[in-house]
């Protein structure tokens, strides 16, 4: 069985589906603070290839909660998503991020060591690189986070190296760029409250009662003045986790990979694809820059292609279409 922490959340839930499709049984561990019980219910009802989805509600900050999972289930490997992930919130309340992300992960790693579970795939982030010194960003780019969120993820990466040295615990750290889209069968999707991400915010503004979309900053040194990001589809991302798990199962050493598409799109480009997909003229409210936004973040994904054999398949339009279908479902 594979333990998926944070499996009731956005990226975790898509990963549960990818794992079931790949023939794994899954146990979800989630405190449901940000994840949704409805998502768990959907995942439990899928019955994909007769694979099992178990759910345990618990908090990584309580060592007993996570210890309990290992005593109840035969865990072969862990995929770890459970974390706070809002940059702005992390700047206001760093302690919350250190306690939850770093201490919570330490509890998880200690429970793994106690139970001789030696494989973990970890949800890391491009935010560990900080302000880019060159682009596209490969894995050799210096890691100098500029906010506590990125700092917590980098600390965890370092702790994982130490756990490998000391206990032989092998990790794959996947550094995500901008995750986008939803399940193409519309079973799960992005469901944050409040929502801070670009694509859902543009799409939400097209529904009755939705806030006018706010575009943050049009004076960056980029092709059209707006920030450029590398939007990676959530299903492609989920498949990378299955490949990372297979890599570890085949004896792969501790490693880390960027997950992105090698292509950047500006906020204005994303906005116009949203108008095309929805067939609507979307009102926009131009705002000053949002604090802490680098102008350009684009991944070099060559390493993941070469070592994991991972090639993203979906286009930005695919991501926006699936996200739109999901937003329609949420708005009902
Ligand atoms: N943006 C808007 N309006 C919105 C939301 C976003 O104009 O309503 C802009 C942002 O200013 C930025 C771009 O759209 O220029 C993308 O913003 P997102 O909030 O969607 O994504 P970020 O690039 O800020 O954040 C992502 C992940 C973080 C991660 C970070 C790494 O969501 O978890 O990349 O830098 F830390």
């Amino acid at each position: 069985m594979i333990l998926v922490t944070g499996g009731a959340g956005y990226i975790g839930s898509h990963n549960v589906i990818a794992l079931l499709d790949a023939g794994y049984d899954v146990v979800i561990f989630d405190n449901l603070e940000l994840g949704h019980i409805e998502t768990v219910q959907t995942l439990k009802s899928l019955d994909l290839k007769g694979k099992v989805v178990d759910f345990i509600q618990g908090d990584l900050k309580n060592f007993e909660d996570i210890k309990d999972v290992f005593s109840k289930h035969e865990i072969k490997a862990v995929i770890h998503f459970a974390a706070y992930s809002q940059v702005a919130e992390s700047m206001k309340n760093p302690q919350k991020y250190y306690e939850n992300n770093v201490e919570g992960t330490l509890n998880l790693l200690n429970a793994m060591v106690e139970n001789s579970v030696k494989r973990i795939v970890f949800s890391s982030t491009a935010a560990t690189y900080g302000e880019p010194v060159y682009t596209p960003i490969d894995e050799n780019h210096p890691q100098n986070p500029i906010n506590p969120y990125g700092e917590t993820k980098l600390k965890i990466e370092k702790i994982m190296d130490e756990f490998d040295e000391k206990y032989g615990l092998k990790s794959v750290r996947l550094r995500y760029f901008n995750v986008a889209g939803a399940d193409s069968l519309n079973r799960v999707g992005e469901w944050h409250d409040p929502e801070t991400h670009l694509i859902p915010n543009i799409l939400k503004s097209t529904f009755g009662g939705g806030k006018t979309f706010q575009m943050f900053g049009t004076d960056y040194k980029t092709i059209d003045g707006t920030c450029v990001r590398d939007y990676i589809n959530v299903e492609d991302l989920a498949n990378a986790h299955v490949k990372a798990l297979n890599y570890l199962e085949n004896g792969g050493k501790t490693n880390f990979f960027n997950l992105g598409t090698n292509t950047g799109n500006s906020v204005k480009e994303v906005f116009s694809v949203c108008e095309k997909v929805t067939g609507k003229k979307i009102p926009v409210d131009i705002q000053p820059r949002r604090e802490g936004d680098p102008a350009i973040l684009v991944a070099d994904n060559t390493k993941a292609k070469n070592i994991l054999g991972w090639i993203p398949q979906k286009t930005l339009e695919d991501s926006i279409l699936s996200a739109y279908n999901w937003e329609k479902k949420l708005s009902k």
Side-chain angles (χ1 to χ4, degrees), residues 85 87 125-127 149 177-178 196-199 201 213-216 227 229 231 267 290 293-294 297:
S85 64
V87 171
T125 170
Y149 165 63
F177 282 66
N178 286 57
T196 61
H197 292 123
L198 177 65
I199 294 171
N201 275 350
F213 166 64
Q214 300 196 312
M215 187 180 279
F216 299 127
C227 287
R229 294 288 181 273
Y231 294 90
V267 170
R290 191 174 69 176
D293 279 341
L297 279 177

